[in-house]
Amino acid sequence: MDAEQLRECGHRMVDFVADYYKSIEAFPVLSQVQPGYLKEVLPDSAPRKPDTLDSLFDDIRNKIIPGVTHWQSPNYFAYYPSNSSTAGFLGEMLSAAFNIVGFSWITSPAATELEVIVLDWFAKMLELPSQFLSTALGGGVIQGTASEAVLVALLAARDRTLKKHGKQSLEKLVVYVSDQTHSALQKACQIAGIFSENIRVVIADCNNNYAVTPEAVSEALSVDLTSGLIPFFICATVGTTSSSAVDPLPELGQIAKSHDMWFHIDAAYAGSACICPEYRHHLNGVEEADSFNMNAHKWFLTNFDCSLLWVKDRSFLIQSLSTNPEFLKNKVKASQSSSVVDFKDWQIPLGRRFRSLKLWMVLRLYGVDNLQSYIRKHIHLAQHFEQLLISDPRFEVVTPRTFSLVCFRLVPPTSVQDNGRKLNYDLMDAVNSSGKIFLSHTVLSGKFILRFAVGAPLTEERHVDAAWKLLQDEATKVLGNV
Amino acid sequence: MDAEQLRECGHRMVDFVADYYKSIEAFPVLSQVQPGYLKEVLPDSAPRKPDTLDSLFDDIRNKIIPGVTHWQSPNYFAYYPSNSSTAGFLGEMLSAAFNIVGFSWITSPAATELEVIVLDWFAKMLELPSQFLSTALGGGVIQGTASEAVLVALLAARDRTLKKHGKQSLEKLVVYVSDQTHSALQKACQIAGIFSENIRVVIADCNNNYAVTPEAVSEALSVDLTSGLIPFFICATVGTTSSSAVDPLPELGQIAKSHDMWFHIDAAYAGSACICPEYRHHLNGVEEADSFNMNAHKWFLTNFDCSLLWVKDRSFLIQSLSTNPEFLKNKVKASQSSSVVDFKDWQIPLGRRFRSLKLWMVLRLYGVDNLQSYIRKHIHLAQHFEQLLISDPRFEVVTPRTFSLVCFRLVPPTSVQDNGRKLNYDLMDAVNSSGKIFLSHTVLSGKFILRFAVGAPLTEERHVDAAWKLLQDEATKVLGNV
């Protein structure tokens, strides 16, 4: 690590990256390689002698990039987006440069304090209740992913409940989710030792864009109470993965409150939209939440990973997740006092990167007004795509569009037996195999559905139009094969 | 995200970072700010309008850097190191540029395949048994931290055991560690629901540099078996956090084997040294391990986070950690077949960064020979520091030095009552408050001990000599105050 060598190589990498972005539309969005392709072209052991940067760049161009699926391509419409941006990229660079391991305050006070400040900023942008601010009993923390956010919330809830009922009661704890809740919750339950038969999966309402109904939750809950079980956790979603459904927060919050349960809100994707006043109403009811999560790394120009979690009472997190070995105690007056936050006790790992830098830079270099415009632009493009779909009777919009996701499919001719599954699979396969766009699918009420999620930073109207043209052309072909 | 804007800003950030490294010795190693310092100088809400990059750089210089503890400073000797390097930095840049979320093969085949290949390379460098290779039933995976590595190993072991004994047996499962095992294991137990009274903390042998004795483990295990408990997990450490002790792997492995227990080896720090033939013997016994972990982000020039975990039988990990929702299924022939790895099922989170890039670049741009020299140089510097200590009778080396960590203290004068605790605390506080070096402490057998861990990439003999001079000078002062 020589400063001048770093400078020279760093400049070369910046040019490489800028050139990559300049030519990003030339690559197939979805990588078209076959399994095992890389093993064929790389040696089977590490080199003994150093290689040159030139040769490394050659390998990146010729061997790595063909195996990359280009999430930053303007023609990427799969899953939900994963935004990069100049500000986010600069933040990652600076974080890699300091390369601190910020488990406690003293390991870099700026890392902890900037995180506290920026999460408070963000809470205010979202108009979260003041209890979620660091100045009250709550506070925000950056997790790696929404999976980790829901896991630490579940652990805090589990331990809060077991403290009351005794730890032998683990087998009685019941979690309430819908069949649209992200699989991260199921995984969190597996990890936390919640019995699989105690994960109550309530079927969401297909007449209400697959939001859960409070009645269905109440009903399941009554049965469990009668059986002597202990309901302790409800997870609601604002913007489900399949169809961007919004669960009824106020009602679910009331149920949680009246049974002394933990109420978690997963707004991983749609939380970003709620910085716009016209979408904020989707968070009404967050007042009742114990924890709230959104991913700045999805649709908020902040490079992956950066998942924001707020809790109303931080003491429950800390009780579940703290350890305090001598070798990590900071014998410095400042952190000996209880005046500082040690984020190691708010998360699964011990070590943590300086992730608040990139979020701070995104907010500073773009500003709230531009960030709102950014969200609105994508929602507008999704509306545009929806109109295009409506104009072609061969297609149908399957669920109402709420944010920037459009769920649609080719309407199966009556001659088709499998409810259009093969037809739509073939359409998806055709467009993805073309390398021109990438979209993903889901299944709702037995229907195989295509998902068109607008949210890549470079996507413009012309990309949406081209995607539509491609879908129309391929539709003609697959319908011709029926 | 405009390619030319990225280029311009990226070049400016490269220069900023190179200048930072050039002047890194000018900053106090340990940040000297007071709690709450940053709140005083930042606004209390996010800006509505964008700010300039110039103003951002000013704030980084004037507000952020004073709160940074400089882990990359050549005068950093605290905890264990966290290495940055040109290669690691370039890897972080490229990973941030692609900004993929590589949960499954199809989301970027190169990310999964490069990880498989590079972990196989590394396993061969460490001469791990062939069962740990991807070509056998095992394989390697990059976790964020050693905490996550031991957690996923513990979960796999827990579920393997519960499958045999029934899930009601959770309360009977017993974990064996020493009082020198990293606190990450205790945290993993809290998360996995292992009962705290079933964490058997065996006191390590103070006559053998605080390695655990197999006899002590066997003894505890016999008592537990008699009580009807189920021993299921042993964690051994190669290079403990306090004193770099090495537990007796072959004997502990035998105990685990004869009781059908999971045997995990934590070589987070010292694993790096074992790429040198003369240190490889510390891993003898790894043949018996079910899982083995080392942190490339500590002492291997790979930026944080990059913790390498190998397992002998990947199926146990996958059984514990997989979920398979429709919206993540890849309807592509390739990944529908079982020929590909989906790393989401080997870890806690769903999403994952393209971390294999930086490790690949470190191996490619430095080569194994240079990496071995790098390790040897630090160990040589630690030996040098040890000799300096021995030359001054006011100091004592408290435990034998095995790798690049030296544990020492000022010998307390007979008039001192607290076994030298205050004296050594005052010495540490004096050198750390000077800003000239940063070191941390531990407590062993009631002794307050200073830890001098050599391992920052820029550390040269002159830095060790200057640190020693500072310690001698401050020792004279604190001894004068006794």
Side-chain angles (χ1 to χ4, degrees), chain A residues 13 67 103 107 124 127 133 137 168 219 275 281 292 299-300 315 351 355 359 393 401 420 434 476:
Chain A
M13 184 57 89
F103 47 83
T107 61
K124 290 175 190 168
E127 297 178 25
L133 297 178
L137 298 179
Q168 320 282 346
E219 210 169 292
I275 66 161
H281 66 94
F292 174 83
W299 190 19
F300 203 79
S315 71
R355 289 180 292 212
L359 185 56
R401 183 203 49 73
S434 77
T476 303

Side-chain angles (χ1 to χ4, degrees), chain A residues 208-243:
Chain A
N208 188 21
N209 187 18
Y210 298 93
V212 79
T213 66
E215 295 72 25
V217 174
S218 287
E219 210 169 292
L221 205 142
S222 299
V223 175
D224 290 328
L225 284 173
T226 311
S227 315
L229 295 172
I230 307 170
F232 85 109
F233 194 89
I234 298 183
C235 178
T237 309
V238 176
T240 59
T241 309
S242 280
S243 64

Side-chain angles (χ1 to χ4, degrees), chain A residues 177-284:
Chain A
V177 300
S178 94
D179 60 351
Q180 299 303 308
T181 303
H182 195 279
S183 56
L185 200 271
Q186 184 203 323
K187 186 157 174 170
C189 289
Q190 288 170 209
I191 292 166
I194 305 300
F195 280 29
S196 55
E197 62 268 32
N198 290 350
I199 305 176
R200 209 61 71 231
V201 180
V202 176
I203 306 299
D205 182 3
C206 60
N207 297 317
N208 188 21
N209 187 18
Y210 298 93
V212 79
T213 66
E215 295 72 25
V217 174
S218 287
E219 210 169 292
L221 205 142
S222 299
V223 175
D224 290 328
L225 284 173
T226 311
S227 315
L229 295 172
I230 307 170
F232 85 109
F233 194 89
I234 298 183
C235 178
T237 309
V238 176
T240 59
T241 309
S242 280
S243 64
S244 286
V246 178
D247 286 331
L249 304 186
E251 294 82 357
L252 294 176
Q254 274 308 319
I255 295 173
K257 195 178 190 175
S258 60
H259 293 89
D260 202 15
M261 299 165 71
W262 189 285
F263 182 40
H264 178 74
I265 298 175
D266 168 4
Y269 154 68
S272 294
C274 302
I275 66 161
C276 301
E278 67 272 31
Y279 297 103
R280 172 56 179 77
H281 66 94
H282 292 295
L283 296 190
N284 289 347

Side-chain angles (χ1 to χ4, degrees), chain A residues 119-192:
Chain A
L119 274 275
D120 278 353
W121 284 6
F122 214 111
K124 290 175 190 168
M125 279 165 52
L126 288 170
E127 297 178 25
L128 296 187
S130 61
Q131 299 110 299
F132 287 97
L133 297 178
S134 68
T135 42
L137 298 179
V141 58
I142 300 178
Q143 304 281 331
T145 60
S147 313
E148 287 154 275
V150 74
L151 173 59
V152 299
L154 187 78
L155 292 168
R158 179 194 72 181
D159 294 346
R160 183 179 79 163
T161 308
L162 291 181
K163 203 170 178 181
K164 209 182 324 170
H165 293 273
K167 59 188 172 181
Q168 320 282 346
S169 310
L170 181 65
E171 62 191 62
K172 293 188 185 165
L173 301 191
V174 187
V175 168
Y176 297 80
V177 300
S178 94
D179 60 351
Q180 299 303 308
T181 303
H182 195 279
S183 56
L185 200 271
Q186 184 203 323
K187 186 157 174 170
C189 289
Q190 288 170 209
I191 292 166

